[in-house]
């Protein structure tokens, strides 16, 4: 059951990253602009810190779409190695030839 909730949590994070992407980019541009006064850049830093943590793209992980497993993830298929093997054995992945597993 915990794995399904991690999938939902990951999807929620993806929505938040998309929602706050423009705001974060704008604040980061202000922070990195050396021509602006230090006070203004510091205020932008504080505003950036007030945004939700899950709106940062670094909070996203690659996860298996079926199980939520974060490790041994194949990007092309969006599956973990365990599900890749299981679905491959069942013949549900086109082009995947079962060798000697």
């Amino acid at each position: 059951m915990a794995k399904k909730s991690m999938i939902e949590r990951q999807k929620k994070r993806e929505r938040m990253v998309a929602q706050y992407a423009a705001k974060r980019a704008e604040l980061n541009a202000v922070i990195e602009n050396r021509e602006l006064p230090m006070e203004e850049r510091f205020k932008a830093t504080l505003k950036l810190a007030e945004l939700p943590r899950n709106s940062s793209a670094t909070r996203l992980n690659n996860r298996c779409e079926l199980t939520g497993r974060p490790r041994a993830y194949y990007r092309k298929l969006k599956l973990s190695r365990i599900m890749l093997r299981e679905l491959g054995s069942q013949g549900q992945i086109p082009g995947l030839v079962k060798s000697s597993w």
Side-chain angles (χ1 to χ4, degrees):
M1 289 291 173
K3 292 183 170 94
K4 288 291 181 190
S5 66
M6 284 306 301
I7 294 171
E8 294 303 316
R9 192 181 306 173
Q10 178 74 4
K11 288 181 181 178
K12 180 181 176 185
R13 284 179 181 163
E14 289 171 358
R15 288 191 301 267
M16 287 187 79
V17 166
Q19 178 183 351
Y20 286 96
K23 179 113 177 155
R24 292 184 82 84
E26 180 183 317
L27 290 172
N28 279 322
V30 171
I31 292 168
E32 293 172 9
N33 188 357
R34 299 283 182 190
E35 297 175 1
L36 294 175
M38 188 65 173
E39 296 82 22
E40 189 174 333
R41 291 170 44 215
F42 186 69
K43 286 180 185 177
T45 304
L46 293 177
K47 285 183 181 177
L48 185 65
E50 289 175 1
L51 293 179
R53 283 186 181 183
N54 285 336
S55 66
S56 175
T58 58
R59 302 277 289 193
L60 296 177
N61 289 330
N62 290 329
R63 290 190 175 271
C64 176
E65 299 252 324
L66 300 177
T67 62
R69 181 181 167 88
R71 298 177 185 211
Y73 175 82
Y74 288 86
R75 290 181 185 175
K76 285 187 176 181
L77 301 172
K78 298 186 178 182
L79 295 174
S80 67
R81 66 178 174 83
I82 296 167
M83 291 309 297
L84 175 69
R85 182 176 177 150
E86 191 174 310
L87 294 175
S89 293
Q90 296 171 3
Q92 294 184 1
I93 299 178
L96 186 69
V97 178
K98 179 177 178 273
S99 186
S100 58
W101 321 335

